[in-house]
Amino acid sequence: MHSYVLQHQARHNMDRIAARIVLLGLWVLVAGHWGQAAPVHIDLNDRRLLAPTAGEYHGDTRTYIVHMAKSSTHSLLASLETPLSRYSQLLQTLKQDMTLVANGEPATLPIHVYSSVCQGFSARLTSQEAAALRKMTGVLAVYPDTIRYPHTTRTPEFLGLSSSNGLWPNGHFGDDVIVGVLDTGVWPERDSFSDAGLGPVPARWKGICETGKDFNASHCNNKLIGARYFVAGYEAALINATGKPLNESLESRSPRDTEGHGSHTASTAAGSEVPGASLFGLANGTARGMAPKARIAVYKVCWAGGCYDSDILSAFDQAVADGVDIISLSVGGPAREYLEDAIAIGAFGAMEKGVFVSCSAGNAGPGLQTVENFAPWIMTVAASTIDRDFPANVILGDGQILQGQSLYTGKGLSSNVTQMITGAAATTGNVTNSALCLPGSLKATLVKGKIVVCKRGPNRVAKGAVVLAAGGVGMILYNGGADGGVLADSHFLPATHVDTEAGVSLLAYMNSTATPVGNIEFLGTRYNVKAPIVAGFSSRGPNIVTPQVAKPDITAPGVNILAAWTGAVGPSSLESDTRRVDFNIISGTSMSCPHISGLGALLKAAHPDWSPAAIKSAMMTTATIRDNGQVDVITDQFGGAEATPLQYGSGHVRPEMALDPGLVYDLGFQDYVNFLCTSNYTARDIELFTSTHNETVTCPRSDVQVEDLNYPSFSAIFQKPPSILNITMNMTRTVTNVGNANATYMAQIAQPADTVITVYPDILSFSSVNEKKSFTLEVTAVNVPTVSNGSLVKFAFLVWTDGVRSVQSPITIIVI
Ligand SMILES: *[C@@H]1O[C@H](CO)[C@@H](O)[C@H](O)[C@H]1NC(C)=O
Ligand SMILES: *[C@@H]1O[C@H](CO)[C@@H](O)[C@H](O)[C@H]1NC(C)=O
Ligand SMILES: *[C@@H]1O[C@H](CO)[C@@H](O)[C@H](O)[C@H]1NC(C)=O
Ligand SMILES: *[C@@H]1O[C@H](CO)[C@@H](O)[C@H](O)[C@H]1NC(C)=O
Ligand SMILES: *[C@@H]1O[C@H](CO)[C@@H](O)[C@H](O)[C@H]1NC(C)=O
Ligand SMILES: *[C@@H]1O[C@H](CO)[C@@H](O)[C@H](O)[C@H]1NC(C)=O
Ligand SMILES: *[C@@H]1O[C@H](CO)[C@@H](O)[C@H](O)[C@H]1NC(C)=O
Ligand SMILES: *[C@@H]1O[C@H](CO)[C@@H](O)[C@H](O)[C@H]1NC(C)=O
Ligand SMILES: *[C@@H]1O[C@H](CO)[C@@H](O)[C@H](O)[C@H]1NC(C)=O
Ligand SMILES: *[C@@H]1O[C@H](CO)[C@@H](O)[C@H](O)[C@H]1NC(C)=O
Ligand SMILES: *[C@@H]1O[C@H](CO)[C@@H](O)[C@H](O)[C@H]1NC(C)=O
Ligand SMILES: *[C@@H]1O[C@H](CO)[C@@H](O)[C@H](O)[C@H]1NC(C)=O
C-alpha cells in the first residue's frame, strides 16, 4: 500500500526565478521574460508516461473488463432476461466458437456484471478469447484488469469550520447526504462510526450491510448505513498468481477493514464527533469528519495485494445503484488513457447520475506530470500540510540542533551524549543496503547502544525495527537530495526524520569526529505553524492525457492527519507492531481526498440543486493560493520555493467561501460528451462512457475545442512557433449566477511578463438567480523565443468580483 511511500521520478526544475508583485490585490507569480526562464521538461506527447496496457500476469489467462453497447444487438442474447444470463451466454458462445468448450458444458460465469455506470462485465479470458470477443457485435472494448493501490484532527478548525454559523449549520453537518467510500473497508466499532444523535436511514437508500467474516448486519447503524465487499477480481488474480484463494487468517472476506486505510478515510470524510481522540496523546482533541452527520456506505475494494479495476468498477456500479450522493476514492496507479481507465469510466457514470466523485491525485511527486485520476469529471485532490506538526529535533555533540518530525511518544534516550553511527559504517557487507538500514544489513556489535543514522527509503518505520533488532537505541532518518519533505511516523524507538539540508550537516558532523554523539528531543504536538505547504509527495500536473484540462484541481489537508484506525494492525502497519490504537496519524493524498468528499457532502446538503460540477466549481473558485499568514503564496515542501497551480491546482480549499461562490462554472453530461468528441474519440469509444444513458448521444459541431470545456480553471497549450512570435488562443466559458439575483461582476486579470490576457466582455451583469452569461478569455504569449529545448510555463489568474465575492481561476500557459 503506498499510502505514504514515495515514488521518485525524474525531477524537473520549475521556474524558480519567480518574483512577486501585487496586482489587483493578488499575489502573483511572475517569471521573467520567456527567454530568461529556465525551461521545464514537459513532453505532452510522451506516451511512455502512460502505464503499459498489459499488466504482470502468470500464464495466458487473465481478467478482462468488457464494455458492451447500449443495445446488445447479438440476436442470441436479446431474448435472455438478465445481464448475467446474457453475458454468461456470450462467454459460452465465445468458448464454443473457439472449440474450447463442448456443447452442454456449464457456462463460464462473469466475475462481475456492470449495469449502473456502464454496460458490461469482467471475466477470465485468454488473449485469443479477448481478441475474438473484441470482434463480436455489441462489444465496445476489452482491456485487461489492472492493479491500483491506496494512496496513504484539528482539520475542521484549520479549515475554518464553525458549529454556530456558515457551512456546517447551513449544510446541516451533512445530515442525510450519503458518502460512499471505496477503500479497504471499515472497523465499525470505532466511535467515529457511532450513530448517536442521528435520525433514521434515509428512505431512498437501497444499500445493504453484507455479512462475512467478523462482519454482519448488526455492525451497521444509522451512521454506517451500508457495507459491501468486492473481492472476485482480486481473488481471480491471486489464484492465478499463487494458486491459492484469499487467506482468511490475514484478511477478512467481508467489509471489515484489516488494513486501517479505509477506516481512516471514511472517518475523515464523515466521522462522528469523538472527544478525547489522539495517537498516544499526540494531536489530542475532538476528532470529527468534515461532514459529521453525513451517512457512510463502505465499499471494500482494496485487499492486502492491492485494488483491482474490475472490483473498483463493480463498486462504482453498486454504489450508484444503492443511492450514494458522493464517492470518495483514495486509490490510484499510473496514468491510463480514459478508454482503459475503469476509475474514469465508473466516475463518468456516477457523474451522470448526479454523484460527486472525489479522488486522490497520487503520491508520485515531486516530479511533474505525475498526477493520476485526472478525468475532467473527477475532483482531483492534491495534499498539503496543516498548521500542526510534531517536532523532534536532533541535538548533536557539537551543539548543532537539526529540526525533525516524529510521532514517537515513548521514553526518550537517557543521555545527550549517546554514541552515533551511520548505517553504512555498520555494514555487514553491502554498504548500499546498510546506508538504508535494510533488514540484515547492520552489524550488531557496531550498532549496540547507539543511534543509527539511516538514509530514507521505503518502509521508514521498518528501518527502526532493523535498528532495534541489531541492538541500536535510536534512529535518525535523513532525506537524500531527491526526497521532498519530512514525515512524522509512529516509530518503535526514539527516532526522527530530518530533511536533505540537515542530512548534509549530520553526515559532515559524523565525519568530523571519531566519537559522534547526540540525542533526540521530542517536543510533542505544536500548533499554529506556517501552513499549508504542498507535500513533497503530492502528485503534480500537467495532465498527461488532456493537458488542456488543468490538474490537480485543488489541495486539502493530507499530512499528519488523525482519524480512525483498524484494530487489526498497529499504527505503523508492520506485522511486528503489537501496539493497537483507535486513531492513527498518517499522510498521503489518500487523506486529502476524503476532506474534499466530506466538504462536497456539506455543499450538497446546503445546495441540493447543485450538480457535481457546481459543487466542484464552488470549491475551486473560492480556494486560496496564500497560506495561513494570508500574505505569502503557498510553498512547495520540495525545494521550499513558491508552489504553482501545477502543485495546488486552484489553491487550498476554503469551505466557508465555497458555500457562497457567487458564480459557478457548471457542466453536465452533454458538456463532457462534447469534451470526448473534441478529444477525437470515436462514437464507439464514447459509448463506453454513455452506455447506460437512455437517450441518443450526439457530438456537437466540429469547431468546438477541448479548451472550451466549461472548466473552472484554464490551461493554454501553445506549440513553439517557428520564429519569435506572439501566439494567441481564445477560450470560452459560461458562468451561472448562484448569488444575488441582481449582480454585476468585473473581471480582473493578474498576468506575468510577456503575456497579454484579455476578457471579452469584462463586465457581466445578472438580473436573476441561475442566469448564465458567457465570456471569452484571450491569452497571448508575447515574443515567444524559438530556441529552447524545454517547455516554458507561466501562470496567471482571472478573478470575477462583485465587490464581495471573488471567483478565481488559475491560468496555466505552457509553450511546448
Ligand atoms: C453479528 O456479530 C456480532 C458481533 O460479532 C454478534 O454478537 C452477533 O451475534 C452477530 N449476529 C448474527 C446474526 O450473526
Ligand atoms: C495464511 O496466512 C497465515 C499467516 O501468515 C499462514 O500461517 C498460513 O499458512 C496461510 N494459509 C495459507 C492457506 O496459505
Ligand atoms: C491536549 O493535551 C494537553 C496536555 O494534556 C492539554 O494541555 C491540551 O489542552 C490538550 N489539547 C486539547 C485540544 O484538548
Ligand atoms: C540535553 O540537552 C538539552 C538541551 O541542551 C537539555 O535541556 C537537557 O536537559 C539535556 N538532557 C540530558 C539528559 O542531559
Ligand atoms: C547490494 O544489494 C543490492 C540490493 O539487494 C544489490 O542490488 C547490489 O548489487 C548489492 N551490492 C553489492 C556490492 O553487493
Ligand atoms: C569525510 O571526510 C573525508 C576526509 O576528511 C572526506 O574525504 C569525505 O568526503 C567526507 N565525507 C563526508 C560525507 O563528508
Ligand atoms: C482532433 O483532430 C483534429 C483534426 O485532425 C485536430 O485538429 C485536433 O487538434 C485534434 N484534437 C485533439 C485534442 O487531439
Ligand atoms: C431518460 O431518463 C430520464 C431520467 O431518468 C427521464 O427523465 C427521461 O424521460 C428518460 N428518457 C427516455 C427517452 O426514456
Ligand atoms: C507582440 O505583442 C506585443 C505586446 O502586445 C507587441 O508590442 C508586439 O509588437 C507584438 N509583436 C508582433 C510580432 O506582433
Ligand atoms: C478572441 O475573441 C475576441 C472577442 O470575441 C476576438 O476579438 C479575437 O479576435 C479572438 N481572437 C482569436 C485569436 O480568435
Ligand atoms: C433587480 O433590479 C431590478 C431593476 O433594477 C429590480 O426591478 C428588481 O426588483 C431587482 N431584483 C431584486 C431581487 O433585487
Ligand atoms: C537543454 O536543457 C538542459 C536543461 O535545461 C541544459 O542543461 C542543456 O544544456 C540544454 N541543451 C541544449 C542543446 O540547449
Side-chain angles (χ1 to χ4, degrees):
M1 307 269 169
H2 67 253
S3 47
Y4 41 101
V5 174
L6 312 182
Q7 300 165 341
H8 293 294
Q9 312 214 349
R11 265 156 210 96
H12 316 292
N13 195 18
M14 277 300 303
D15 185 350
R16 298 274 181 228
I17 56 166
R20 273 204 314 266
I21 59 160
V22 187
L23 183 59
L24 304 166
L26 259 183
W27 291 100
V28 191
L29 305 161
V30 181
H33 297 295
W34 290 110
Q36 298 162 348
V40 176
H41 179 78
I42 297 175
D43 185 348
L44 296 177
N45 298 312
D46 190 351
R47 308 315 277 178
R48 286 169 305 178
L49 290 167
L50 292 178
T53 298
E56 320 117 53
Y57 296 90
H58 293 250
D60 191 30
T61 302
R62 63 180 69 165
T63 303
Y64 286 87
I65 296 174
V66 181
H67 288 277
M68 301 295 293
K70 200 175 299 183
S71 47
S72 284
T73 48
H74 206 283
S75 55
L76 187 76
L77 307 176
S79 61
L80 292 167
E81 296 235 319
T82 67
L84 176 63
S85 55
R86 280 204 295 275
Y87 301 142
S88 303
Q89 184 59 53
L90 180 71
L91 286 171
Q92 181 77 351
T93 308
L94 173 75
K95 299 212 175 206
Q96 273 165 14
D97 286 354
M98 302 194 71
T99 66
L100 294 171
V101 178
N103 251 328
E105 274 194 23
T108 309
L109 290 178
I111 288 176
H112 290 295
V113 168
Y114 311 117
S115 59
S116 300
V117 294
C118 62
Q119 304 282 1
F121 60 96
S122 45
R124 305 285 301 166
L125 301 168
T126 65
S127 53
Q128 293 94 320
E129 287 165 349
L133 199 51
R134 276 190 198 103
K135 295 195 192 103
M136 291 176 86
T137 319
V139 175
L140 295 172
V142 181
Y143 57 88
D145 197 6
T146 45
I147 190 166
R148 317 259 190 167
Y149 296 96
H151 286 135
T152 319
T153 331
R154 193 174 138 80
T155 329
E157 289 85 348
F158 178 62
L159 293 176
L161 290 166
S162 147
S163 300
S164 50
N165 53 48
L167 184 55
W168 263 353
N170 274 282
H172 319 294
F173 299 88
D175 200 5
D176 283 359
V177 177
I178 302 167
V179 182
V181 182
L182 278 52
D183 210 300
T184 64
V186 65
W187 193 268
E189 291 80 8
R190 291 293 171 248
D191 291 344
S192 299
F193 306 112
S194 152
D195 64 358
L198 286 181
V201 173
R204 65 202 161 86
W205 178 241
K206 297 204 253 331
I208 61 160
C209 209
E210 258 187 311
T211 299
K213 182 162 179 268
D214 304 324
F215 206 97
N216 64 37
S218 72
H219 289 108
C220 285
N221 57 24
N222 291 339
K223 167 57 100 179
L224 182 64
I225 65 171
R228 298 182 186 260
Y229 64 97
F230 300 81
V231 74
Y234 170 58
E235 193 158 39
L238 197 63
I239 290 171
N240 206 42
T242 66
K244 288 183 192 155
L246 191 80
N247 184 338
E248 293 217 43
S249 73
L250 296 178
E251 49 186 337
S252 298
R253 188 190 294 277
S254 78
R256 181 164 292 274
D257 176 18
T258 48
E259 206 280 340
H261 190 271
S263 302
H264 202 277
T265 54
S267 57
T268 300
S272 298
E273 248 183 51
V274 185
S278 77
L279 172 67
F280 306 130
L282 293 174
N284 61 331
T286 299
R288 47 173 113 62
M290 290 295 104
K293 290 189 177 172
R295 316 307 173 104
I296 297 172
V298 155
Y299 297 82
K300 180 172 170 183
V301 294
C302 292
W303 303 84
C307 337
Y308 281 82
D309 270 7
S310 54
D311 294 331
I312 294 172
L313 189 56
S314 190
F316 264 107
D317 208 61
Q318 190 64 59
V320 169
D322 286 348
V324 302
D325 301 301
I326 312 285
I327 286 179
S328 189
L329 179 65
S330 292
V331 168
R336 312 195 77 82
E337 261 289 349
Y338 303 122
L339 300 179
E340 292 196 346
D341 183 349
I343 292 178
I345 295 169
F348 192 100
M351 169 279 296
E352 196 213 332
K353 305 289 187 305
V355 176
F356 173 75
V357 181
S358 156
C359 294
S360 45
N363 299 344
L368 296 182
Q369 294 187 283
T370 47
V371 64
E372 303 163 20
N373 296 327
F374 44 68
W377 44 90
I378 289 174
M379 178 69 134
T380 311
V381 189
S384 42
T385 61
I386 58 171
D387 62 347
R388 174 186 71 194
D389 68 359
F390 306 94
N393 300 335
V394 178
I395 305 167
L396 294 177
D398 65 358
Q400 280 189 82
I401 296 178
L402 308 176
Q403 300 200 342
Q405 291 278 316
S406 178
L407 297 177
Y408 176 75
T409 50
K411 209 166 157 292
L413 294 165
S414 53
S415 163
N416 272 347
V417 289
T418 303
Q419 286 195 47
M420 296 168 62
I421 188 167
T422 62
T427 187
T428 52
N430 185 322
V431 177
T432 312
N433 290 353
S434 306
L436 291 162
C437 300
L438 298 185
S441 70
L442 301 179
K443 199 176 269 179
T445 51
L446 295 175
V447 161
K448 193 168 166 43
K450 293 181 185 153
I451 299 170
V452 182
V453 173
C454 306
K455 192 168 190 275
R456 175 183 180 172
N459 300 324
R460 295 181 305 275
V461 177
K463 293 172 194 291
V466 173
V467 168
L468 206 53
V473 297
M475 176 176 71
I476 303 167
L477 284 172
Y478 68 94
N479 275 355
D483 297 317
V486 298
L487 289 156
D489 293 308
S490 44
H491 296 286
F492 294 118
L493 78 176
T496 188
H497 182 185
V498 302
D499 69 12
T500 307
E501 212 177 18
V504 170
S505 307
L506 178 63
L507 292 185
Y509 166 70
M510 299 292 292
N511 205 15
S512 70
T513 165
T515 52
V517 293
N519 196 0
I520 305 170
E521 186 182 31
F522 297 93
L523 301 175
T525 313
R526 181 169 65 172
Y527 294 98
N528 302 316
V529 300
K530 192 178 170 71
I533 295 170
V534 177
F537 60 74
S538 188
S539 287
R540 286 112 204 272
N543 180 334
I544 294 172
V545 172
T546 320
Q548 299 89 341
V549 176
K551 290 282 174 170
D553 291 312
I554 201 160
T555 191
V559 177
N560 299 334
I561 304 303
L562 180 81
W565 198 242
T566 175
V569 294
S572 69
S573 298
L574 294 176
E575 211 179 314
S576 53
D577 189 349
T578 55
R579 300 171 293 180
R580 291 296 178 266
V581 294
D582 286 3
F583 285 84
N584 197 9
I585 296 174
I586 56 175
S587 301
T589 51
S590 279
M591 282 64 247
S592 57
C593 161
H595 278 90
I596 295 296
S597 311
L599 294 173
L602 294 176
L603 290 171
K604 176 101 185 168
H607 299 286
D609 57 326
W610 279 9
S611 69
I615 291 173
K616 175 173 169 175
S617 175
M619 283 197 255
M620 286 172 67
T621 62
T622 57
T624 179
I625 66 163
R626 294 187 223 180
D627 69 17
N628 54 355
Q630 297 297 306
V631 173
D632 295 336
V633 169
I634 294 170
T635 56
D636 187 351
Q637 206 177 37
F638 175 69
E642 284 178 356
T644 72
L646 294 178
Q647 283 94 35
Y648 54 61
S650 291
H652 190 260
V653 68
R654 281 196 292 186
E656 289 300 335
M657 310 296 275
L659 182 61
D660 180 20
L663 304 176
V664 294
Y665 294 80
D666 206 357
L667 282 162
F669 174 78
Q670 187 61 47
D671 299 295
Y672 293 117
V673 169
N674 295 355
F675 163 82
L676 292 169
C677 299
T678 55
S679 300
N680 291 340
Y681 289 111
T682 64
R684 184 182 145 111
D685 292 339
I686 293 170
E687 199 176 339
L688 280 189
F689 298 89
T690 62
S691 57
T692 54
H693 193 70
N694 63 356
E695 282 160 16
T696 311
V697 174
T698 52
C699 278
R701 56 181 209 281
S702 58
D703 60 344
V704 179
Q705 47 171 9
V706 177
E707 290 83 354
D708 293 333
L709 177 72
N710 202 37
Y711 216 68
S713 59
F714 297 82
S715 180
I717 311 290
F718 293 113
Q719 297 299 320
K720 216 163 282 166
S723 60
I724 295 185
L725 213 63
N726 291 351
I727 37 185
T728 298
M729 176 184 293
N730 271 1
M731 294 180 268
T732 62
R733 292 290 188 275
T734 301
V735 287
T736 307
N737 179 26
V738 297
N740 302 338
N742 282 342
T744 299
Y745 284 84
M746 308 219 314
Q748 296 182 330
I749 295 285
Q751 57 201 340
D754 278 357
T755 60
V756 178
I757 298 175
T758 315
V759 187
Y760 303 98
D762 60 359
I763 296 183
L764 299 175
S765 291
F766 298 89
S767 56
S768 63
V769 173
N770 289 329
E771 187 180 353
K772 291 178 189 289
K773 291 270 162 136
S774 297
F775 67 91
T776 298
L777 187 81
E778 185 186 56
V779 177
T780 303
V782 175
N783 296 331
V784 178
T786 52
V787 197
S788 166
N789 65 357
S791 308
L792 301 170
V793 184
K794 285 175 184 282
F795 305 97
F797 291 86
L798 163 67
V799 183
W800 286 106
T801 178
D802 64 349
V804 178
R805 304 171 184 85
S806 286
V807 188
Q808 179 170 316
S809 299
I811 305 166
T812 302
I813 305 156
I814 303 180
V815 181
I816 303 293

